[in-house]
Structure formats: C-alpha cells, structure tokens
C-alpha cells in the first residue's frame, strides 16, 4: 500500500478523463464527457465507480461493443470495488441487441452446492442462526456464476478475447486503485468482519487501520489471478487451481462445496418479465430474481390509483408508495423462489388481481399486516422480514454503444465483502449469496442442492413505441426494488427530469410493521404526517439504492449517475459526427 495525498473527488474524476484521452490511440477520434450527468452520441457508461467507467469507455472508444465494455467493467469492478463484487459472485445481465431488436437475460446467479441442506441455516434448537453469524459461514457460499456469465456474454455477443477484456483490470490491480469515499466508509463500517480474516486484514486494514480516502489499494494476488484467467480461460476457476483453492477455503469455513459443484455450474438464459405503465413497456428480470416482478406489481398497483393527481412531495403520495411496496413485497416474500424448484403461481400482473390488491389500500391508515394475495389456493406465509438478510449494496452498471446495443447489469457478492473471507493467494472474496435463502425449511425460497437463492436484482429496460428509452438499475439488495420502482414512477408517471428522478428522496418499506428507511430530503413534516397514520421510520436517514440511468433521446444518450455514491457517467461522441 502506498499512500497518496488526499484530493477532492472532482480531481479524481479528472484523472480518469486524462487517462481516457491519452491511453488509447483510438480514443482520439472521440470527444468524451465525464460527470454525474453527461450526453454522448456514440456511447455511454454509467457506473458508481469511476475506474470501472473509464475501463468501459476505453473499450467502447477502441471499437468494442456494449457487451465487451460490460464484461471489462465487471472485471474492473472486482478490482476497484473488490468488497462489493468480483469473480467470486454472480449476477443478472440484460442485453438489448439492437440489430435483432431482442432482449437477453444472462442469469449467472450463484447456486447452492450439491451438499446444501434445507436446515443448514438453523441452530440445533431450530432457530435461524443470527444473520451476523450466518453471513460468515462456509455454507453461505454459493457456486460463483460471475465468470461463466462474463464468458457467455462475451462469446455470444462480444467481439474481443477474454484476455483483452481482462487486461485493463490486471493493470488496475497492479497499479492500484485510489480508495474512494465510498470504499473508505465501507471499510470503516465493516472493519470487524475484515479483522476476523488475516488475508483481508493484510490488504484492507494495514497496521490494523482501514485504508482511508486517497490511499492506494494495490492487489498483486488478484492481478495474478486475473492473469491466470486471461491465459487459461474460465476453466482456471471452474476446473483449475483457482477453483481448487476456492473449494478448499469454503471447506475450511465449514462448507461442503466440491470441484464437481464448480464443474457443473449452469447459468440460464431467462425470459424477462414484461409489464406496462401507461404506454411504456417495462422489461425486467424474472425469477430467480424477485426484483422485476415486484417492481412491476408495485407500479401496476399504483397506476390503478392514478398517483399523478397527488402532489409529488405530499405525505399521501409517499403513503401510497409505501402501501404499494407492502403489497408487492408480501407476494414476493411468500411465493417466489428458484423456478427450477418451485411453481410460481401465474397472475401476478393480471388486471383483475392488480385491481383487487390496489383496492386494499386505505388512504388514511397504514393498515397492517399486509398478507400475500390469493395467487394460490393456500398462500404460504411471507418470510419474516427480520430473517431476510442484512444490508447489501453491491454494484450495477449501464452501457450503451454506437450501434444502439444496451447492457444493464447488476453483479454482487451479496454483503459488503461477502463472507469476509478473502481467498488467500488469489485476492478475491468468497460470496455469501446463499444468505438470500429463507433460513426456514419447507418454503419456496428454502435452501436445496443446486438451487439459486431469490435475488432482488432488477436491471431494467423501458421501451416506448417499440424503441428503448431508458436503461436503469441499482444495487441495494431488496432496496433495489424500492429504488428502481420509485425512479420509474418518477419518470413514467410524474415526467420528472432524469436528474430529479434520480435525486428525489426515496423511501423503502417492505413490511408494514418494520421501521421504514428514508432518505435525507424527506421533510420532518411529511414524516410526522405519515407517522400520524401509523408509519414508523428509522431514526437516521440512509440511502435507498444507487440508481444508474441512461436515457435515450433519438440519437443521443444521456447518462445519469446517482449522487448517493459519487458515480460517474462517461459519454462518447465521435469527433466526425455532424
Ligand atoms: N444479494 C442481493 C440480491 O441478490 C444483492 C444485491 C445487490 O445489492 O447487488 O438481491
């Protein structure tokens, strides 16, 4: 670790700009714009991380397409935000192929190993192991799909070799990443988990202190790991030394993963779910992510109530938003699981059902509890909120290229730093994605061999008149749903400017009996009015997701990065454009 003097964030962004203009000869033919809100006619990258955005923009500028850029960004995020995502995780990548006018979802969600047991998250007395402990266990580690997903995307849609797409990340790991405000805050918050692991402590807590903003994080072991993958392909993991070390570490942590689990890892190409808001079509993720269906149900329930008639900042509007969230989450938490293992009842978005659910909303009372709807004869009880995970907040990226191809992609290792176990000698974290399972057995989202835990990821595309108009997504675990849904409501119902749609204070309330999460900007008066009808709020505000957005306006892309995380948009315009 070498220290660098602390400098303002704006300066860090400018360094990115200089690198973009000077490191790639082909970049010279592009003008580039970098900032929280920028335009570009020939390409756009939006990421919460400026190093990752720079890597993606360089790939676009040198002739790569949106999928090439997204894959390169995936590797770069694993270096620049190693605590949030990486090759030890998995995700959902949605691709719009402009020439085919087709959407593909590559689902690289982690799977439980063959040894997984329905009761693996229970104590001997049958109670769930507390989440703080559960998140660190070897049995919480899912078989990573990130590399399989990246390689599938590249081979099917990309134009570059895997080695080309990994190369910038090897350099980033070797040269170092300047610790951002976000990383510094996260290291302080999760210091306890990191301190328990010698490899993680050595890297992130040198001398016992977390790296601070402006420090340089150099990751030679991760560079070597990436070099091995660049040379030998993803089999270096699924059938090679990296996988062997991974499996050994999971075993040492009490898990039962084997090389055969890695060899048998199977990604899926999922049919997205589609919904309608006004004359916009919304295309989003299907189970095993509950993100898309829950976002759509929320929006369609609210649309029934004609929310545009209520002032945006009024307590009544926030009340309706929270009640629609309770209804949609009640169905999500009761019915959804991996569709390879459970029959998910149809009718989620049927107009009659939506009407019936919307009619349950009382305009002046936070009526509680909100049971799941009658999608099946005997609705299962929703999983209790307190059993459903901690506070994940990982990574999302949006990319558009000069050919009109679009990628929206969320990739994660679940909690910050996953299990907190950094793979010794290889420098990446073991995910704890299996904590997204309901810890109680016998339910739709209970653990089972080879099963995928229910996600909330919701990379989403919005179409109007058959043309894509918005590319959107967020990290944030279940708060992804609240964040993406509210931004879509802002855009499609309220017609807010894109920057306001992102910046407006959001709320998150999945279960009516729990204290709601709220963001700075939600006035004390509005909160007091909401409390007077039965809502309860956490004491302190905290962010709800981190939404990245690309708006497509004719030939122009406008990228907006969420100020919650100091993200950046990078727009490219060819110098010879008219
Ligand atoms: N494990 C969470 C999920 O799949 C993580 C999501 C995220 O924040 O990226 O929903």
């Amino acid at each position: 670790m070498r220290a660098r003097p602390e400098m303002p964030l704006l300066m860090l962004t400018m360094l990115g700009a200089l690198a973009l203009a000077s490191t790639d000869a082909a970049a010279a033919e592009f003008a580039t714009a970098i900032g929280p809100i920028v335009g570009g006619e020939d390409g756009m990258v939006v990421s919460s991380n400026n190093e990752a955005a720079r890597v993606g923009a360089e790939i676009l500028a040198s002739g790569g397409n949106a999928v090439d850029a997204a894959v390169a960004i995936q590797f770069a995020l694993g270096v620049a935000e190693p605590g949030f995502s990486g090759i030890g995780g998995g995700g959902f990548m949605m691709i719009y192929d402009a020439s085919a006018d087709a959407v593909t979802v590559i689902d690289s969600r982690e799977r439980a190993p063959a040894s997984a047991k329905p009761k693996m998250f229970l104590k001997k007395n049958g109670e769930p192991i507390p989440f703080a402990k559960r998140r660190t266990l070897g049995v919480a580690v899912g078989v990573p799909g990130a590399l399989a997903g990246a390689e599938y995307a590249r081979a099917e849609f990309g134009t570059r070799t895997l080695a080309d797409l990994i190369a910038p990340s090897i350099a980033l790991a070797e040269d170092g990443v300047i610790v951002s405000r976000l990383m510094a805050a996260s290291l302080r918050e999760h210091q306890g988990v990191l301190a328990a692991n010698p490899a993680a402590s050595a890297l992130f807590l040198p001398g016992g202190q977390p790296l601070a903003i402006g420090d340089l994080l150099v990751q030679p072991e991760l560079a070597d790991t990436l070099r091995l993958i660049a040379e030998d392909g993803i089999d270096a993991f699924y059938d090679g030394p990296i996988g062997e070390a991974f499996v050994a570490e999971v075993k040492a942590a009490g898990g039962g993963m084997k090389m055969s689990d890695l060899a048998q890892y199977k990604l899926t190409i999922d049919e997205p779910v589609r919904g309608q808001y006004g004359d916009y079509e919304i295309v989003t993720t299907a189970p095993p992510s509950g993100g898309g269906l829950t976002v759509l149900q929320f929006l369609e329930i609210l649309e029934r109530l004609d929310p545009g008639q209520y002032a945006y900042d009024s307590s009544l509007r926030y009340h309706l938003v929270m009640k629609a969230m309770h209804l949609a989450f009640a169905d999500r938490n009761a019915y959804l699981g991996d569709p390879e293992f459970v029959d998910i009842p149809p009718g989620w978005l049927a107009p009659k059902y939506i009407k019936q659910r919307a009619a349950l909303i009382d305009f002046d009372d936070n009526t509680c509890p909100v049971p799941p709807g009658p999608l099946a004869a005997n609705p299962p009880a929703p999983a209790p909120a307190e059993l459903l995970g901690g506070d994940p907040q990982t990574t999302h990226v949006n990319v558009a290229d000069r050919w009109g191809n679009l990628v929206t992609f969320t990739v994660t290792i679940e909690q910050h730093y996953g299990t907190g176990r950094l793979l010794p000698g290889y420098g990446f974290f073991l995910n704890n994605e299996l904590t997204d399972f309901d810890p109680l057995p016998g339910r739709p989202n209970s653990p089972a061999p080879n099963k995928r835990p229910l996600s909330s990821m919701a990379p989403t595309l919005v179409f109007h008149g058959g043309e894509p108009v918005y590319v959107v997504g967020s990290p944030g675990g279940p708060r992804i749903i609240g964040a993406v849904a509210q931004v879509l409501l802002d855009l499609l119902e309220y017609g807010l400017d894109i920057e306001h749609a992102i910046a407006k204070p959001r709320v998150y309330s999945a279960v009516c009996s729990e204290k709601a999460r709220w963001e700075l900007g939600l006035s004390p008066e509005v909160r007091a009015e909401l409390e007077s009808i039965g809502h309860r709020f956490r004491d302190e505000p905290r962010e709800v997701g981190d939404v990245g957005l690309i708006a497509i306006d004719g030939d122009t892309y406008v990228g907006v990065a969420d100020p919650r995380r100091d993200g950046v948009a990078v727009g490219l315009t060819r110098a010879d454009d008219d």
Side-chain angles (χ1 to χ4, degrees), residues 84-85 90-92 109-110 288-291 332 391-396 410-416 432-436 453-458 474-481 565:
F84 309 166
S85 73
F92 292 84
R109 184 71 166 165
E110 297 91 331
S289 180
R332 175 202 185 273
D391 204 13
Q393 172 80 310
T394 58
T395 54
H396 180 84
T410 315
V411 61
T412 182
I413 53 173
E414 220 296 285
Q415 296 292 295
H416 279 202
N432 61 350
E433 211 72 50
L434 304 191
T435 58
D436 276 351
L454 186 64
S455 173
S456 294
M457 294 187 229
S474 175
R479 293 176 307 284
I480 291 172
I481 293 167
R565 272 215 199 169

Side-chain angles (χ1 to χ4, degrees), residues 88-89 110-113 138-145 246 250 257 431-434:
E110 297 91 331
R111 288 177 182 272
V139 291
V141 184
V143 180
F246 190 89
V250 173
M257 197 179 288
N431 72 76
N432 61 350
E433 211 72 50
L434 304 191

Side-chain angles (χ1 to χ4, degrees), residues 467-485:
E467 298 294 327
V469 289
Y470 297 116
V471 185
V472 61
S474 175
R479 293 176 307 284
I480 291 172
I481 293 167
V484 169

Side-chain angles (χ1 to χ4, degrees), residues 24-32 42 61-63 402 572-577:
D24 193 318
E29 60 177 285
F30 287 91
T32 60
D42 295 297
S62 65
R402 69 183 94 156
L572 302 180
T573 299
R574 280 162 81 104
D576 56 3
D577 268 5

